[in-house]
Amino acid sequence: FLLSDMTMNLAIPVVAFAAAITCGSCAGYAEEPVGCTAIAVDSAASADGTAFAGMNADAGNGDYRLTFVPAKQHAAGSMRPVFTFNLSYPRFVGFDRGDFFHPKKAGAPLSVPVGEIPEVRSTFGYYEAAEPLMNDQGLGLGESSCASMLQNRFPGDTS
């Protein structure tokens, strides 16, 4: 999708302002003083009526490569492996998401699932980077865990 010049002229200062006011705000909730920023602009708030969203992930070692994971058909009763999120390079190594994620060297370790869930019969393709971005139907996804007081743990982890 493309943003018009007018929208970009509005978006850049809005995103810069949001990043400036939130950059250090997460430091009290995290071990490192960084802050991720997510912003969404409704069509009523933009100069030309375009709605858009943006975000950043503050991580120096993040795997920001962009790829497309193709749509798939799955057999009834299939299970989908679930993996923890790894922001650093490589964020995933395996054969379930297309050639982009195949091991680069023979014998390279594969990402290890921590469990599995029932798979749906048909999945859409999606564009993926450090954060999921958008599926091939136009649905955009994002997240902001900044200032979250929740901590995810594996089953049995009492630390």
Side-chain angles (χ1 to χ4, degrees):
F1 90 111
L2 299 174
L3 297 175
S4 70
D5 288 341
M6 185 182 293
T7 302
M8 285 305 295
N9 288 337
L10 174 66
I12 292 170
V14 169
V15 172
F17 174 72
I21 63 172
T22 61
C23 186
S25 65
C26 297
Y29 299 103
E31 293 180 14
E32 49 183 276
V34 297
C36 299
T37 303
I39 186 168
V41 175
D42 182 86
S43 61
S46 69
D48 68 350
T50 303
F52 57 92
M55 65 171 296
N56 75 321
D58 290 343
N61 65 342
D63 183 356
Y64 298 106
R65 299 172 299 155
L66 175 65
T67 188
F68 181 76
V69 178
K72 284 181 146 183
Q73 299 296 316
H74 305 279
S78 294
M79 299 298 285
R80 179 184 176 99
V82 176
F83 300 88
T84 59
F85 181 70
N86 178 23
L87 183 60
S88 62
Y89 176 88
R91 64 182 176 269
F92 176 80
V93 179
F95 298 97
D96 296 341
R97 298 183 191 172
D99 296 346
F100 182 84
F101 294 107
H102 289 182
K104 302 301 181 219
K105 297 178 184 174
L110 302 178
S111 297
V112 178
V114 295
E116 56 185 18
I117 58 174
E119 180 65 88
V120 296
R121 293 295 303 264
S122 176
T123 57
F124 296 123
Y126 60 95
Y127 294 91
E128 179 188 287
E131 303 285 343
L133 298 174
M134 183 178 287
N135 72 15
D136 59 7
Q137 305 300 302
L139 174 64
L141 306 170
E143 66 83 32
S144 180
S145 54
C146 182
S148 174
M149 296 300 293
L150 303 174
Q151 294 183 356
N152 296 323
R153 292 188 173 89
F154 292 108
D157 180 357
T158 59
S159 61

